[in-house]
Amino acid sequence: MKISQKLVHHNKAQHCNIKYVWNQGSPSDWCNDIKENWTTTLKKSILGHTGLELLAYMVLYAFIDIIYRTALDSDQKEEFEKVKQYFQDGLSGYSRDLTFLLGFYVNFVIKRWWEQYKLIPWPDTLGLLNTGLTFYESDEAKKLSEDMLRNQMLSFILCIRKISKVVRREFPTSTELIESGIATTAEIKNLEMKGDLDTLWWVPLQWCMHRLKIAKHEKIIPCDHKEAMGEITKYWEKLKSLENHIHAPIPPVYKQVAALAVYFYFAAALIGYQITKNDEIDVYIPFFLVFRFIFYVGWYKVALALKNPFGDGKDDFEIGHLLSRHIWACGEHLKAGFEGPPKDENVEQDKQDGIISIAVDKQE
């Protein structure tokens, strides 16, 4: 069941009480290792990524080899061998250029991929600060804490759903945001009056700043509220940096150059690496060409798999599981603030026994 659907179902059962939003998250899919069978492991392996292309490539290589050995006469074979030598000489220097170009491209993509992962903000820091700074002595304080974390998650969803297919499927419209309890009807109307929700993802963080100011004035947060404000600013900076990756994508020509370099090399290698009668050894399988294909094409496939990490592929970020974990974590932070740390039953019982014994001594 989708996250938004689970939230809707539970909220209806609880009369749309906002705090029950947090009960629907779960850390299980994010934190626990998923056991994979041999099928999924094979799909993620290098053979799973390059196996079919390698098979097609070797069939084409074998087809050319059969033509050379069976369909050409002596003069034609000599001409073919000259052409083969020409391609082989060209490929010897070309492979160094290909290694440099492909290595630079893959390194750039992996670096960008890791930067995007580090920019995904987590709500835990604000949740910890909220627990440490807020005095939960009134309903206003409890509502303030819930609204702070809820608005933080609303900003997260509005920003991330522009780049993540998974989040966009969970919350495609404002209706899912309202029914799930992540946003109120008044908040959505306010955002829609200002413009497009996805471009105004930062407004809920602005509301958080305003609530912190009021909380400081009303002594709900008696001191150090600037620490929470600083964390909200850092949260905004990370989401803004993620948004910047949308506006500054990898130039398509960069990918085209890398693809052209790889596939041109192996198109030429179909001729340049043929085994002819002039070679000192007569084999039917070009082992070194096979390993070159796995190495270069596999390397290029790494860049393709990591180029857009916010998709819904098997190699992309588990952003849906992370969202579920964040919802759960917000609920845990609120629970810790409302209930406090767990009490040791033995200590409490010892205290009660001590009080009783003192009372008995006084009576005596």
Side-chain angles (χ1 to χ4, degrees):
M1 184 182 291
K2 294 171 60 177
I3 294 174
S4 57
Q5 291 175 341
K6 291 191 291 185
L7 294 174
V8 171
H9 176 74
H10 192 77
N11 279 350
K12 287 180 179 178
Q14 298 292 343
H15 306 290
C16 295
N17 193 335
I18 291 296
K19 68 181 181 181
Y20 290 103
V21 171
W22 314 119
N23 292 345
Q24 299 309 299
S26 172
S28 58
D29 292 333
W30 175 256
C31 298
N32 295 337
D33 294 332
I34 300 176
K35 295 182 179 180
E36 298 180 347
N37 54 36
W38 68 271
T39 304
T40 55
T41 302
L42 180 61
K43 289 180 179 179
K44 292 184 178 182
S45 67
I46 189 170
L47 289 178
H49 284 280
T50 63
L52 291 178
E53 291 186 11
L54 176 60
L55 179 62
Y57 185 76
M58 294 313 299
V59 169
L60 188 57
Y61 177 92
F63 179 73
I64 297 174
D65 181 67
I66 292 172
I67 291 177
Y68 167 77
R69 294 176 183 271
T70 61
L72 301 183
D73 57 29
S74 300
D75 294 336
Q76 291 173 330
K77 285 183 178 180
E78 290 181 3
E79 291 297 324
F80 180 85
E81 289 162 5
K82 292 178 182 179
V83 173
K84 175 248 181 178
Q85 188 62 45
Y86 172 77
F87 275 78
Q88 191 174 40
D89 294 341
L91 289 173
S92 61
Y94 185 88
S95 60
R96 293 192 297 270
D97 299 332
L98 177 61
T99 302
F100 173 79
L101 173 65
L102 192 57
F104 188 82
Y105 175 63
V106 173
N107 179 69
F108 175 77
V109 171
I110 291 177
K111 183 179 179 181
R112 181 184 173 92
W113 173 84
W114 181 240
E115 287 177 350
Q116 290 183 77
Y117 181 77
K118 291 193 296 182
L119 287 173
I120 299 175
W122 287 49
D124 297 70
T125 305
L126 183 59
L128 290 169
L129 288 171
N130 186 49
T131 301
L133 298 177
T134 305
F135 281 97
Y136 298 96
E137 298 178 349
S138 63
D139 293 337
E140 289 78 9
K142 294 180 179 180
K143 187 176 187 307
L144 168 74
S145 298
E146 289 184 337
D147 288 345
M148 288 274 291
L149 295 184
R150 185 174 55 78
N151 288 156
Q152 185 180 218
M153 290 307 303
L154 177 58
S155 284
F156 180 89
I157 292 171
L158 291 179
C159 181
I160 296 296
R161 76 176 182 179
K162 292 191 296 182
I163 57 178
S164 171
K165 295 180 180 179
V166 176
V167 178
R168 192 158 57 246
R169 280 200 304 264
E170 297 287 349
F171 301 97
T173 65
S174 301
T175 302
E176 286 77 18
L177 292 171
I178 295 172
E179 291 179 342
S180 66
I182 294 295
T184 65
T185 303
E187 289 169 347
I188 293 298
K189 286 183 178 179
N190 182 277
L191 289 172
E192 289 177 343
M193 288 175 60
K194 298 177 186 295
D196 180 54
L197 268 66
D198 291 346
T199 59
L200 296 170
W201 58 264
W202 50 270
V203 173
L205 297 179
Q206 190 182 59
W207 298 338
C208 290
M209 288 291 197
H210 179 74
R211 286 184 169 90
L212 281 172
K213 180 175 63 177
I214 299 300
K216 172 65 176 176
H217 177 72
E218 296 179 352
K219 305 300 182 181
I220 296 175
I221 297 179
C223 62
D224 293 332
H225 70 296
K226 291 183 179 179
E227 294 289 334
M229 287 186 169
E231 178 56 32
I232 293 174
T233 302
K234 293 177 183 178
Y235 196 87
W236 172 85
E237 289 174 350
K238 286 192 171 184
L239 288 176
K240 183 60 181 176
S241 297
L242 278 177
E243 186 183 43
N244 288 340
H245 280 82
I246 306 174
H247 303 301
I250 299 176
V253 67
Y254 203 171
K255 173 188 172 183
Q256 294 168 10
V257 169
L260 180 63
V262 171
Y263 290 112
F264 173 79
Y265 175 84
F266 287 103
L270 287 172
I271 303 297
Y273 285 94
Q274 287 291 330
I275 307 298
T276 60
K277 65 179 182 179
N278 292 333
D279 295 317
E280 297 179 357
I281 187 171
D282 187 14
V283 295
Y284 292 96
I285 300 177
F287 292 102
F288 289 100
L289 178 61
V290 170
F291 282 107
R292 280 193 179 96
F293 188 94
I294 294 174
F295 174 69
Y296 285 122
V297 175
W299 209 5
Y300 176 66
K301 288 294 184 72
V302 169
L304 293 183
L306 302 182
K307 190 170 69 71
N308 179 27
F310 288 95
D312 55 358
K314 59 182 180 295
D315 296 314
D316 297 325
F317 296 153
E318 295 286 354
I319 199 69
H321 295 163
L322 182 61
L323 175 59
S324 178
R325 182 262 164 208
H326 285 352
I327 292 173
W328 168 84
C330 287
E332 290 299 309
H333 287 300
L334 290 171
K335 187 185 299 183
F338 297 160
E339 301 175 359
K343 297 180 180 179
D344 193 330
E345 295 179 359
N346 294 329
V347 173
E348 293 297 321
Q349 186 63 39
D350 291 342
K351 288 181 179 179
Q352 292 179 5
D353 294 341
I355 293 173
I356 293 173
S357 63
I358 292 173
V360 171
D361 291 340
K362 287 183 178 180
Q363 290 178 359
E364 292 178 350

